[in-house]
């Protein structure tokens, strides 16, 4: 695999049972690139290791006054220099290719898993942890995969040099052959402690990243309640903990690096001291002494890769463990499905609650528990994160369809949709039927003021569609983000559209227009809206009350608000005291007192909309009575 061939057509099925198994799986899937890097590494390191022999050969030729052997040594040195440069260039190229392709494979695996799990991912793993895995951890994993081939080439070169020195000059070669393994293994007792410190640093960094991500995501709310200083202090403490952990980890690695410098120096002193004694006795020549000394000196170069592989593994092991933890997550149902890919049509029915959304009908669902409403909305989309009875669309269980087919048939927009950064044109460039234009979707979602705000924020964009949206739409208000997300859902024009509180962040006047736009644009299509807004409920053709996990009432808004106390309690926020007052003699004697009291019940925008709707209903009853 070359960089230009990315992305992978299929990144494969990872072995996510543990971090080391995942690293081993990555290595096995890149054997071609690893062998290529190994070959170039052997050429480079053996050429470097050959320099001492050629230098010693040249020095001995000078001592013996042999011009022909000196010329041969010069040719060999030039050839050696060429192979060193060639091997180093292509070793670096192939090793970096292995790094990038391994990181790309991991990122594709994480992206695929994120798409499969959907909102279930953030319920099991913190958002900051997902960000840390997909950025810093991916780089560390790629580093280890890239370092393996260089380490293997360096290890083979060290063995080859030691064997060659024993054959070339046994008296000194044995000293080197015994000393080099000691150099390579001397730091092993320190590695567990270094690894633990690296793990601790990674854990602290992950917590700091998670805290920063959550703080940035809720910055608007924090400013509203004056909590910026509190969270700033928390992040400052977390960052200081990361700094202290990084310093402790760096100290250990500095100690390991110092040992890697000290021990080769001691070995070199021992070789020179012993070699000078042998040369005085006439047992070795000057050229042989220079050759052995140069070989020991140059062995420090490949030996550094022993330290690198130790560092790479120590840093990549916790990263691989975290990546494997995310990749091992599974949905409650099989994403491949047991049925052939198809897009069913018909009524949407949930056997668990008894909820029925007739085909081509606008159905509103009222549920007193927002969390239960969110879970029910997700289950209606098929492939819910928890096990349970499958939702039926046209009599076909959605859980038995491939997840792509289920999502094509039913689109679910949750209560907190995410806007990706980019232009508005890119935001609305989603898979769609082609029956709904971007202009129609934006008009139905009442995005006129949003377009004006985007144009004002992007002075270089004359067309609103070319205006840029910042990350997660942070430059827009909550209501503006909500309406853009609604427009994105409307333009897809799915067979079944499920909206969870699509207008909770907009004012009453805008909400009324949005409700009318949804009804007009989705006429003849199946739409399910989870809401407690009277303005939306009044426009719905069918209203369903879900209480205690099952459907307890079905009808239209005006009937249910008068006949069903549980429905009225959710929609009007009516308390028991309010109900008693509504049934008292004062309420009957003075019809206008009820609307006035409800209008003053609360100052929250959503409650004001509820109270306004009730006022209008009661005034209509008074006019009919008169």
């Amino acid at each position: 695999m070359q960089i230009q061939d990315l992305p992978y057509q299929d990144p494969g099925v990872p072995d996510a049972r543990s971090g080391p198994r995942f690293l081993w799986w990555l290595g096995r899937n890149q054997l071609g690139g690893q062998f290529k890097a190994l070959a170039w590494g052997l050429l480079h390191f053996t050429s470097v290791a050959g320099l001492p022999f050629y230098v010693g050969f040249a020095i001995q030729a000078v001592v013996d006054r042999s011009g022909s052997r000196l010329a041969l040594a010069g040719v060999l040195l030039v050839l050696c220099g060429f192979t060193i440069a060639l091997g180093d260039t292509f070793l670096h190229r192939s090793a970096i290719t292995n790094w990038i392709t391994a990181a790309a494979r991991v990122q594709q695996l994480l992206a695929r898993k994120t798409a499969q799990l959907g909102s279930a991912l953030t319920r099991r793993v913190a958002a900051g942890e997902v960000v840390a895995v997909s950025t810093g951890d991916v780089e560390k994993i790629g580093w280890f995969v890239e370092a393996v081939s260089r380490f293997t080439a360096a290890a083979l070169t060290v063995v080859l040099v030691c064997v060659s020195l024993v054959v070339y000059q046994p008296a000194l070669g044995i000293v080197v052959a015994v000393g080099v393994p000691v150099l390579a293994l001397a730091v092993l007792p320190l590695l567990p402690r270094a690894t633990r410190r690296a793990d601790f640093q990674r854990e602290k960094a992950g917590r700091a990243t998670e805290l920063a991500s959550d703080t940035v995501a809720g910055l608007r709310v924090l400013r509203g309640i004056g909590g910026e200083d509190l969270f700033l202090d928390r992040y400052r403490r977390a960052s200081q903990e990361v700094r202290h952990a990084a310093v402790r980890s760096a100290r250990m690695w500095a100690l390991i690096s110092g040992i890697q410098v000290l021990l080769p120096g001691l070995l070199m002193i021992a070789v020179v001291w012993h070699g000078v004694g042998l040369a005085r006795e006439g047992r070795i020549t000057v050229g042989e002494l220079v050759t052995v000394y140069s070989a020991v000196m140059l062995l420090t170069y490949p030996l550094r890769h022993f330290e690198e592989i130790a560092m790479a593994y120590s840093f990549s092991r916790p990263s691989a463990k975290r990546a494997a933890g995310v990749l091992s997550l599974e949905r409650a149902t099989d994403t491949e499905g047991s049925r052939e890919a198809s897009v069913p049509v018909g009524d949407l029915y949930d056997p668990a609650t008894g909820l029925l959304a007739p085909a081509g009908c606008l159905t509103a669902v009222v549920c007193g528990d927002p969390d239960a409403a969110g879970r029910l909305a997700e289950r209606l989309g098929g492939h819910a994160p928890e096990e349970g009875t499958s939702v039926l669309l046209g009599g076909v269980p959605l859980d038995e369809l491939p997840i792509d087919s289920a999502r094509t048939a039913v689109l679910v927009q949750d209560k907190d949709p995410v806007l990706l950064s980019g232009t508005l044109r890119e935001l609305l460039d989603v898979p769609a039927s082609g029956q709904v234009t971007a202009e129609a979707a934006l008009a139905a979602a009442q995005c006129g003021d949003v377009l004006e705000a985007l144009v004002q924020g992007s002075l270089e964009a004359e067309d609103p569609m070319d205006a840029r949206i910042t990350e997660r739409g942070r430059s827009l208000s909550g209501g503006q983000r909500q309406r853009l997300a609604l427009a994105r859902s409307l333009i897809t024009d799915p067979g079944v559209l499920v909206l969870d509180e699509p207008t909770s962040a907009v004012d009453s006047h805008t909400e009324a227009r949005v409700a009318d736009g949804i009804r007009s644009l989705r006429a003849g299509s199946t739409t399910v809206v989870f809401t407690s807004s009277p303005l939306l409920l009044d426009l719905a053709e069918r209203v369903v009350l879900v209480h205690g996990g099952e459907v307890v009432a079905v009808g239209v808004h005006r009937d249910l608000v008068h006949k069903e106390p549980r429905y009225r309690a959710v929609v009007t926020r009516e308390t028991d005291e309010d109900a008693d007052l509504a049934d008292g003699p004062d309420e009957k004697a003075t019809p206008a007192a009820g609307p006035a009291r409800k209008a003053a019940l609360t100052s929250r925008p959503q409650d004001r909309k509820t109270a306004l709707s009730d006022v209008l209903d009661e005034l209509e009853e008074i006019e009919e009575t008169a």
Side-chain angles (χ1 to χ4, degrees), residues 55-139:
V55 171
F57 182 72
I59 291 176
Q60 191 61 41
V62 172
V63 172
D64 297 338
R65 299 181 181 276
S66 174
S68 59
R69 282 189 293 167
L70 183 60
L72 177 61
V75 172
L76 292 176
L77 285 172
V78 171
L79 180 62
C80 186
F82 173 76
T83 54
I84 288 174
L86 180 67
D88 189 30
T89 299
F90 285 94
L91 169 61
H92 181 76
R93 179 184 179 89
S94 55
I96 294 302
T97 299
N98 289 337
W99 184 341
I100 294 176
T101 52
R105 186 188 295 273
V106 177
Q107 286 179 328
Q108 282 188 246
L109 290 171
L110 291 171
R112 185 175 66 181
K113 180 61 65 174
T114 301
Q116 290 175 352
L117 293 175
S119 60
L121 175 62
T122 52
R123 292 197 184 102
R124 303 183 191 181
V125 183
E129 182 69 12
V130 176
V131 172
V133 171
S134 59
T135 53
D137 285 339
V138 167
E139 293 295 321

Side-chain angles (χ1 to χ4, degrees), residues 263-287:
L263 294 183
L266 295 177
L267 177 61
M268 198 175 302
I269 292 173
V271 169
V272 172
W273 178 79
H274 185 54
V276 169
L278 294 176
R280 287 178 176 179
E281 296 174 3
R283 297 171 57 182
I284 63 172
T285 64
V286 175

Side-chain angles (χ1 to χ4, degrees), residues 4-23:
Q4 61 265 25
D5 298 326
L6 294 175
Y8 290 94
Q9 293 294 331
D10 181 12
V13 180
D15 186 351
R17 289 176 291 178
S18 65
R21 289 179 181 270
F22 179 61
L23 291 174

